[in-house]
């Protein structure tokens, strides 16, 4: 654990002491080395689950894929931001990368936490750098509103969580995940207990987000700069899913009945947000709503509490993290050239950027869950487990899969196919950096097809 | 559409090379039937000397440095080295070496062994004519049941 955490902390001196000329080179190389070191976490040495532990942090098959995803994303964020941050003064460039590295540190500690209060503190701590990134480096005036929605939605959900956790600490005497997984099921029956159950989960449902409390997401994703959008879509949403999976251990047996409305809301959200995607004119907004749709499926999978549901949820989280981040990078390449997110304005790009059209196709195929990519595998497992719970869900999930395919294809056809309008005939060619960024997103998805057991969680 | 493109292609290729003369987004092609749509940049006046927010003004960085990789605008040496290191650490180290490490990870939980063993046992039992599996997991003679009847 420390062999990744200490180099991550050492990123801060690297950022502030490197000469301006070599700032981006060194931070990219340093963070890629950290990402390579994080792959050692995939060697699960113990059969009992928890490995690489010290007094406060440990990894287990649930947190490992998310930790590796987090570490992989930092160099990708740095690569993506390099172009639009470069014109700023060096001090501000350093601050920007510092915020990204700070976010990374908090996320590693959040996913690695063994004590739920530590997870909670890191969960809240990730809000600060993200808020600063959105409100300081966002491009439109709406970023302030977006930051407000982002901050207060999450805080409103997490205050009940704090109370619930303190209550849990008082009744069980511990909040260590290692101990709680073996504790006796709690006697939960009264209305107060139901409120406690809801308090434990609301924060994570807001973070996921669940349809109904999802309004912060399109705003935050759209107004954030590309690195902010990437980290939000790829990792921060997964904090919610991860938190839910950890809390589910202690929330039985109430979850059998109480999860019902949330599962239905999640499933309904898949269809509603998918339909909204078909009506979007703003490219980033479309990708943001598609994130809500996929996370609705993950929420359904987690709330079902079956082994397949959990495995499907983890697989879908990792695959969606990479695919969604790839789409945001592509949207940013279009934005940097045309300074507009309107899809109508940047269409027919295949004629002028043929190789990039391949990346667009691959990312959209991943988003629409094309077999044999892990996106489909996760979705199939969740759909199957939901069908087992209630056959009627197949109507919602099947329709949702159909709508997902429609809006992904719509995004592809809208941006790539058709005649290229004259006002964008003279755009800058694609940079090597941008091609590298896309390959670093897509190659892991393809490689994960060959060894999916890395993502199966506890059930492996 | 291809015929329209071939008509304006010669002008188009000249447009890209002479991007220094005009703004990025204004079409330099002669107004033909192909350019029916309103041009977006007509909405705002563009001054050629204006520095846009990316700092590369109206000049494409490919003008000065045809081998621009997208990493550093003004220094081609840094740009090239940034590209080399990003590719080396990103692909050669992280994906290739990391991928090899992951490929050779031990068989966690003996799952792959279990599958191979099952296939081996099936093949062995089929060739010996034995049933694949006995109905009883435990030997029934070792199970002691409470006597039924009076309790």
């Amino acid at each position: 654990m420390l062999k990744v955490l200490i180099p991550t902390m050492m990123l801060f001196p690297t950022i502030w002491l490197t000469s301006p000329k070599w700032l981006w080179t060194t931070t990219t190389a340093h963070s890629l080395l950290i990402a390579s070191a994080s792959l050692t976490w995939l060697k699960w040495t113990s059969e009992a689950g928890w490995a690489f532990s010290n007094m406060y942090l440990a990894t287990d098959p649930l947190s490992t894929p998310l930790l590796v995803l987090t570490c992989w994303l930092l160099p990708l964020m740095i690569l993506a931001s390099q172009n639009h941050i470069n014109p700023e003064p060096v001090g501000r460039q350093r601050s920007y990368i510092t915020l990204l590295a700070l976010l990374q540190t908090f996320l590693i500690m959040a996913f690695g936490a063994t004590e739920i209060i530590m997870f909670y503190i890191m969960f809240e701590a990730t809000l600060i750098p993200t808020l600063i990134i959105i409100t300081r480096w966002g491009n439109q005036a709406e970023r302030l509103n977006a930051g407000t929605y982002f901050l207060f939605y999450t805080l409103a959900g997490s205050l009940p969580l704090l109370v619930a956790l303190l209550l849990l600490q008082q009744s069980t005497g511990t909040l260590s995940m290692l101990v709680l997984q073996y504790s006796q099921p709690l006697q939960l029956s009264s209305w107060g207990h139901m409120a406690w159950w809801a308090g434990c989960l609301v924060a994570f449902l807001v973070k996921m987000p669940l349809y109904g409390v999802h309004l912060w997401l399109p705003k935050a994703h759209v107004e954030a700069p590309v690195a902010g959008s990437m980290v939000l879509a790829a990792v921060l949403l997964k904090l919610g899913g991860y938190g839910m999976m950890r809390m589910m251990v202690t929330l039985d047996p109430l979850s059998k009945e109480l999860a019902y409305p949330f599962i239905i809301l999640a499933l309904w959200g898949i269809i509603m947000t998918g339909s909204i995607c078909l009506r979007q004119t703003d490219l980033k907004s479309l990708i943001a709503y598609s994130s809500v749709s996929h996370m609705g499926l993950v929420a359904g999978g987690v709330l079902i509490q079956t082994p397949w549901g959990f495995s499907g949820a983890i697989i879908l989280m990792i695959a969606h993290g990479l695919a969604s981040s790839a789409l945001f990078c592509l949207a940013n390449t279009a934005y940097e050239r045309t300074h507009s997110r309107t899809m109508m304005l940047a269409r027919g790009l295949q004629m002028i950027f043929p190789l990039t059209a391949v990346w667009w196709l691959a990312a959209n195929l991943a988003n629409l869950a094309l077999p044999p990519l892990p996106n489909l595998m996760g979705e199939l497992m969740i759909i199957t487990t939901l069908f087992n719970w209630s056959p009627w869900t197949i109507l919602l999930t099947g329709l949702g899969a159909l709508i997902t395919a429609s809006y992904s294809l719509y995004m592809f056809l809208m941006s790539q196919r058709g005649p290229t309008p004259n006002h964008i005939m003279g755009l800058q060619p694609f940079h090597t950096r941008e091609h590298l960024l896309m390959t670093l997103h897509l190659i892991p998805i393809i490689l994960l097809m060959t060894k999916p057991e890395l993502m199966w969680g506890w059930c492996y | 559409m291809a015929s329209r493109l071939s008509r304006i292609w010669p002008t188009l290729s000249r447009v890209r090379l002479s991007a220094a003369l005009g703004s990025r987004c204004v079409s330099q092609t002669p107004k033909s039937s192909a350019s029916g749509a309103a041009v977006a940049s007509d909405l705002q006046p563009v001054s050629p000397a204006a520095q846009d927010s990316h700092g590369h003004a109206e000049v494409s960085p490919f003008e000065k440095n045809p081998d621009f990789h997208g990493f550093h605008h003004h220094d081609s040496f840094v740009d090239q080295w940034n590209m080399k290191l990003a590719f080396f650490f990103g692909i050669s180290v992280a994906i290739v070496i990391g991928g090899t490490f992951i490929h050779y990870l031990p068989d966690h939980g003996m799952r792959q062994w279990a599958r191979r063993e099952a296939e081996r046992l099936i093949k062995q039992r089929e060739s010996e004519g034995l049933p694949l599996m006995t109905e009883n997991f435990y030997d029934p003679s070792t199970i002691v049941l409470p006597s039924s009847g009076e309790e």
Side-chain angles (χ1 to χ4, degrees):
Chain A
M1 175 61 68
L2 279 181
K3 67 177 172 289
V4 175
L5 206 49
I6 301 258
T8 311
M9 307 251 196
M10 293 313 286
L11 257 178
F12 298 110
T14 306
I15 295 167
W16 288 94
L17 297 176
T18 324
S19 74
K21 211 163 61 152
W22 296 103
L23 172 63
W24 293 90
T25 314
T26 45
T27 45
T28 311
H30 188 147
S31 48
L32 279 168
L33 276 174
I34 295 176
S36 310
S38 75
L39 292 172
T40 55
W41 279 327
L42 288 166
K43 184 170 185 284
W44 297 315
T45 48
S46 88
E47 297 291 335
W50 297 93
F52 298 101
S53 63
N54 58 33
M55 271 169 64
Y56 308 103
L57 303 168
T59 67
D60 84 330
L62 169 57
S63 56
T64 308
L66 292 164
L67 278 164
V68 175
L69 179 66
T70 310
C71 294
W72 185 241
L73 219 75
L74 179 62
L76 268 51
M77 287 196 278
I78 294 177
L79 275 173
S81 318
Q82 198 163 345
N83 198 26
H84 74 90
I85 297 286
N86 234 326
E88 300 201 11
V90 174
R92 247 176 263 168
Q93 292 183 29
R94 295 193 207 265
S95 311
Y96 189 75
I97 311 179
T98 306
L99 283 170
L100 298 180
L102 198 61
L103 194 51
Q104 172 86 335
T105 318
F106 290 148
L107 282 168
I108 293 178
M109 291 207 275
F111 284 123
T114 50
E115 173 92 26
I116 304 188
I117 287 281
M118 168 135 168
F119 172 71
Y120 174 79
I121 294 175
M122 291 303 143
F123 178 81
E124 297 295 300
T126 56
L127 291 179
I128 311 283
T130 318
L131 180 71
I132 300 178
I133 291 175
I134 296 177
T135 52
R136 169 64 185 79
W137 275 279
N139 281 314
Q140 280 78 35
E142 288 82 5
R143 70 187 188 276
L144 303 172
N145 194 14
T148 312
Y149 264 71
F150 169 67
L151 187 69
F152 285 103
Y153 263 68
T154 312
L155 283 182
S158 60
L159 211 50
L161 176 64
L162 181 61
V163 175
L165 287 179
L166 294 173
L167 273 174
L168 185 60
Q169 162 85 31
Q170 206 168 31
S171 66
T172 59
T174 178
L175 277 180
S176 168
M177 293 176 198
L178 290 85
V179 177
L180 278 178
Q181 62 189 0
Y182 298 117
S183 64
Q184 296 293 330
L186 300 164
Q187 298 298 327
L188 303 168
S189 48
S190 70
W191 284 100
H193 290 135
M194 291 190 201
W196 172 81
W197 183 94
C200 281
L201 283 187
V202 154
F204 304 120
L205 289 171
V206 169
K207 195 80 177 179
M208 285 219 67
L210 183 71
Y211 182 72
V213 288
H214 68 288
L215 283 178
W216 65 270
L217 188 142
K219 291 185 199 284
H221 276 70
V222 167
E223 301 305 327
V226 64
S229 297
M230 286 166 74
V231 76
L232 268 170
V235 187
L236 290 176
L237 302 188
K238 283 58 180 174
L239 263 182
Y242 174 77
M244 267 167 67
M245 284 202 248
R246 289 289 186 212
M247 292 305 298
M248 282 295 178
V249 169
T250 53
L251 291 176
D252 267 332
L254 268 183
S255 308
K256 284 198 199 61
E257 286 87 32
L258 289 182
Y260 202 129
F262 295 106
I263 300 176
I264 299 304
L265 209 52
L267 291 175
W268 185 238
I270 301 174
I271 300 189
M272 290 308 293
T273 49
S275 313
I276 294 175
C277 281
L278 285 169
R279 296 285 299 163
Q280 286 298 314
T281 54
D282 180 334
L283 184 54
K284 276 180 89 167
S285 191
L286 197 157
I287 305 171
Y289 274 108
S290 106
S291 283
V292 181
S293 179
H294 284 105
M295 286 297 115
L297 205 50
V298 172
V302 175
L303 287 165
I304 286 285
Q305 300 175 84
T306 61
W308 272 40
F310 272 32
S311 286
I314 306 173
I315 298 173
L316 189 52
M317 285 202 285
I318 304 296
H320 170 264
L322 289 165
S324 197
S325 180
L327 283 169
F328 275 116
C329 289
L330 284 169
N332 183 58
T333 59
Y335 179 77
E336 282 183 1
R337 286 166 173 76
T338 60
H339 288 284
S340 165
R341 295 190 307 261
T342 311
M343 285 195 287
M344 287 292 291
L345 289 182
R347 60 186 194 278
L349 295 177
Q350 187 169 9
M351 292 305 296
I352 45 176
F353 300 133
L355 179 54
T356 313
V358 176
W359 307 139
W360 273 100
L361 181 64
N364 277 307
L365 289 178
N367 202 27
L368 65 82
L370 185 80
L373 295 173
N375 306 64
L376 177 76
M377 299 309 145
E379 284 193 14
L380 266 186
M381 289 177 83
I382 298 179
I383 292 177
T384 315
T385 190
L386 282 168
F387 182 75
N388 188 27
W389 173 71
S390 160
W392 293 103
T393 55
I394 197 78
L395 293 171
L396 295 169
T397 49
L399 188 59
L402 199 66
I403 298 179
T404 305
S406 316
Y407 67 67
S408 299
L409 277 177
Y410 170 66
M411 193 186 349
F412 176 69
L413 295 174
M414 200 58 197
S415 59
Q416 303 304 115
R417 296 290 165 88
T420 313
N422 286 324
H423 64 87
I424 58 170
M425 290 286 197
L427 292 183
Q428 237 186 71
F430 243 65
H431 307 154
T432 316
R433 175 186 60 87
E434 290 161 336
H435 286 305
L436 175 65
L437 188 59
M438 292 316 300
T439 54
L440 288 180
H441 274 104
L442 296 172
I443 289 183
I445 302 185
I446 295 173
L447 287 177
L448 277 172
M449 281 195 297
T450 62
K451 202 174 173 98
E453 49 260 30
L454 298 171
M455 298 187 288
W456 287 347
W458 300 309
C459 311
Y460 181 56
Chain B
M1 197 192 97
S3 60
R4 260 188 282 151
L5 268 180
S6 59
R7 262 210 312 274
I8 58 177
W9 174 247
T11 331
L12 200 59
S13 54
R14 279 201 295 277
V15 165
R16 266 197 285 121
L17 290 171
S18 60
L21 300 173
S23 64
R24 256 179 307 119
C25 292
V26 173
S27 167
Q28 303 270 347
T29 60
K31 293 285 179 224
S32 65
S33 58
S35 61
V39 179
S41 53
D42 287 342
L43 301 169
Q44 294 171 8
V46 174
S47 70
Q51 286 277 335
D52 71 351
S53 62
H54 287 330
H56 51 72
E58 312 301 337
V59 182
S60 162
F62 289 92
E63 295 281 323
K64 281 216 183 108
N65 177 15
D67 290 328
F68 179 58
H69 291 296
F71 291 97
H72 199 280
H73 277 273
H74 303 298
D75 190 337
S76 67
F77 180 73
V78 176
D79 182 57
Q80 201 187 25
W81 271 97
N82 197 334
M83 181 270 296
K84 288 180 182 175
L85 289 176
F87 269 85
F88 175 71
F89 286 110
I91 305 215
S92 308
V93 174
I95 293 183
V96 174
I97 298 182
T100 315
F101 171 79
I102 293 175
H103 178 72
Y104 285 105
L105 282 175
D107 181 18
H108 181 75
M110 294 178 77
R111 292 283 177 128
Q112 290 166 22
W113 173 87
R115 178 84 190 199
R116 284 196 311 269
E117 180 71 7
E119 286 166 0
R120 182 188 76 84
L121 282 175
I122 288 175
K123 207 161 138 216
Q124 180 188 330
R125 284 183 189 158
E126 275 175 355
S127 68
E128 289 172 5
L130 294 169
L132 289 178
M133 196 178 279
T134 51
E135 246 180 36
N136 295 316
F137 190 72
Y138 297 105
D139 181 7
S141 60
T142 61
I143 298 177
V144 180
L145 293 169
S147 62
S148 58
E150 347 57 58
E151 276 291 317

